[in-house]
Amino acid sequence: MLITSGFVLSVLALSVEAEAQFRGKGLSANYGSTDFNDFQDEVVTLCEDRTPNEYFRLTIEGDCRSVVRCDKAGIAGTIRLAKVKCPSGLAFDLERQTCDWKASVNNCDRLSKPRLAKPNLHTVEPVCPDGQLQCGSGECIAREFFCNSRDDCQDGSDENVCRGDEDPNKSDVCNPAECFLPD
């Protein structure tokens, strides 16, 4: 399995081609199009709120092999789409963000990974009473309800920030000179 994964990633890396600035008619005018150039006028819209390494589809038409990612090019930072096409017999799995055997990919009917709602944790002025944080949907809930494995916000945003640095209930970083574990 490791050899196969390495081969797939090597082929994937060799299949990337960056396209020049867009010249098409726009996303809404080209819905369902399989021509990559038809989407070039919509790069900024397509790339809004996407991480640089997130691959997504421009269309669900076709064989599920082609995806793109947003790429900032050059000193000016011009945004363009970098296109990837999986080798024959493989399809792009949006969840895992890699090429896999076509029979193993069950998300060819989607354009991108689902977007998870995020809470509003960092504001200039407090928007909630002390001890509460604001959900992405606007309501305030107690800080301890965040990352407790239950959706307490209407949009579920309290459970979407529970990894590493994002968790609002994470422990403070401990200075090794001052902190120690009990015997």
Side-chain angles (χ1 to χ4, degrees):
M1 178 65 184
L2 182 59
I3 294 172
T4 304
S5 296
F7 170 73
V8 170
L9 291 175
S10 297
V11 172
L12 179 63
L14 294 173
S15 300
V16 173
E17 62 183 67
E19 294 293 326
Q21 197 59 15
F22 291 144
R23 295 177 273 291
K25 300 174 204 133
L27 182 63
S28 57
N30 296 300
Y31 178 76
S33 173
T34 57
D35 184 356
F36 180 75
N37 291 319
D38 285 344
F39 296 92
Q40 294 188 0
D41 285 339
E42 301 294 330
V43 174
V44 174
T45 303
L46 286 169
C47 294
E48 194 171 62
D49 298 326
R50 290 191 192 273
T51 60
N53 58 352
E54 177 187 349
Y55 288 93
F56 58 97
R57 292 188 183 89
L58 295 174
T59 180
I60 57 172
E61 302 293 321
D63 59 6
C64 195
R65 292 171 49 199
S66 296
V67 291
V68 295
R69 70 173 172 80
C70 299
D71 181 38
K72 285 191 177 179
I75 296 171
T78 304
I79 299 174
R80 60 187 184 175
L81 295 181
K83 182 177 169 183
V84 171
K85 187 169 187 176
C86 298
S88 183
L90 301 180
F92 195 84
D93 187 326
L94 289 172
E95 292 296 324
R96 295 183 29 240
Q97 295 283 291
T98 189
C99 293
D100 199 354
W101 300 111
K102 191 168 185 123
S104 300
V105 177
N106 62 4
N107 53 35
C108 288
D109 60 339
R110 293 199 332 245
L111 293 175
S112 62
K113 291 170 60 170
R115 296 262 178 235
L116 299 175
K118 298 281 186 169
N120 188 15
L121 299 178
H122 308 287
T123 60
V124 176
E125 296 289 326
V127 292
C128 295
D130 283 343
Q132 294 188 353
L133 297 172
Q134 187 179 40
C135 301
S137 51
E139 75 266 26
C140 296
I141 64 169
R143 172 182 227 107
E144 58 267 12
F145 291 157
F146 279 76
C147 302
N148 65 354
S149 300
R150 290 195 336 245
D151 288 340
D152 297 297
C153 292
Q154 292 174 3
D155 59 6
S157 60
D158 59 308
E159 299 304 316
N160 294 336
V161 290
C162 300
R163 294 176 303 172
D165 296 353
E166 297 178 321
D167 186 348
N169 293 314
K170 69 180 181 289
S171 299
D172 292 331
V173 176
C174 185
N175 178 349
E178 299 172 2
C179 299
F180 59 92
L181 293 173
D183 291 330

